């Protein structure tokens, strides 16, 4: 929690809670700066409750983060750090990379 608060204090953004319209917790998503091979990179991150996987929530969250980064931060590059065995998360990142922008 402190880490996320520090992100907001320093950058003005971090992780956001993802909920349904009825207020049910789905997971989180957001933009965070990560060290990758000694270089700061802006990451689009997303986590969805395992019982809700496969319903498009991660894709929707990642797309919203991507759009926010482009429109409000003017980010020219975004990354997603994904465990090599997490094929579902790779698909979300691929869809996000190839999706038409609003």
């Amino acid at each position: 929690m402190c880490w996320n608060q520090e992100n907001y204090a320093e950058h003005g953004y971090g992780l956001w809670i993802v909920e349904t319209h009825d207020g049910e917790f789905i997971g989180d998503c957001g933009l965070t700066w990560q060290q990758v091979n000694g270089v700061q990179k802006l990451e689009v991150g997303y986590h969805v409750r395992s019982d809700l996987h496969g319903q498009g929530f991660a894709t929707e969250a990642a797309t919203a983060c991507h759009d926010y980064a482009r429109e409000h931060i003017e980010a020219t590059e975004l990354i997603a750090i994904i465990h090599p065995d997490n094929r579902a998360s790779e698909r979300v990142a691929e869809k996000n990379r190839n999706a038409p922008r609003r």
Side-chain angles (χ1 to χ4, degrees):
M1 177 125 135
C2 289
W3 171 78
N4 199 39
Q5 290 173 333
E6 290 171 8
N7 280 326
Y8 272 92
E10 186 173 344
H11 305 291
Y13 50 85
L15 296 177
W16 298 287
I17 290 174
V18 179
E19 298 177 328
T20 65
H21 291 290
D22 296 330
E24 179 186 3
F25 177 77
I26 293 173
D28 64 33
C29 70
L31 301 167
T32 59
W33 288 95
Q34 304 291 336
Q35 282 280 340
V36 178
N37 299 323
V39 178
Q40 285 282 95
K41 302 272 186 172
L42 187 57
E43 179 190 23
V44 174
Y46 39 88
H47 304 94
V48 172
R49 286 185 4 217
S50 59
D51 62 315
L52 298 175
H53 285 183
Q55 297 184 37
F57 292 119
T59 300
E60 185 174 349
T63 300
C65 290
H66 185 279
D67 292 347
Y68 183 89
R70 295 285 192 243
E71 294 167 16
H72 299 283
I73 303 171
E74 298 181 9
T76 58
E77 179 185 47
L78 296 169
I79 65 164
I81 299 172
I82 301 168
H83 188 281
D85 296 335
N86 191 342
R87 183 65 188 123
S89 220
E90 282 182 24
R91 284 191 302 272
V92 169
E94 289 165 359
K95 284 185 218 173
N96 195 29
R97 179 182 60 210
N98 297 322
R101 298 294 146 214
R102 300 176 209 167

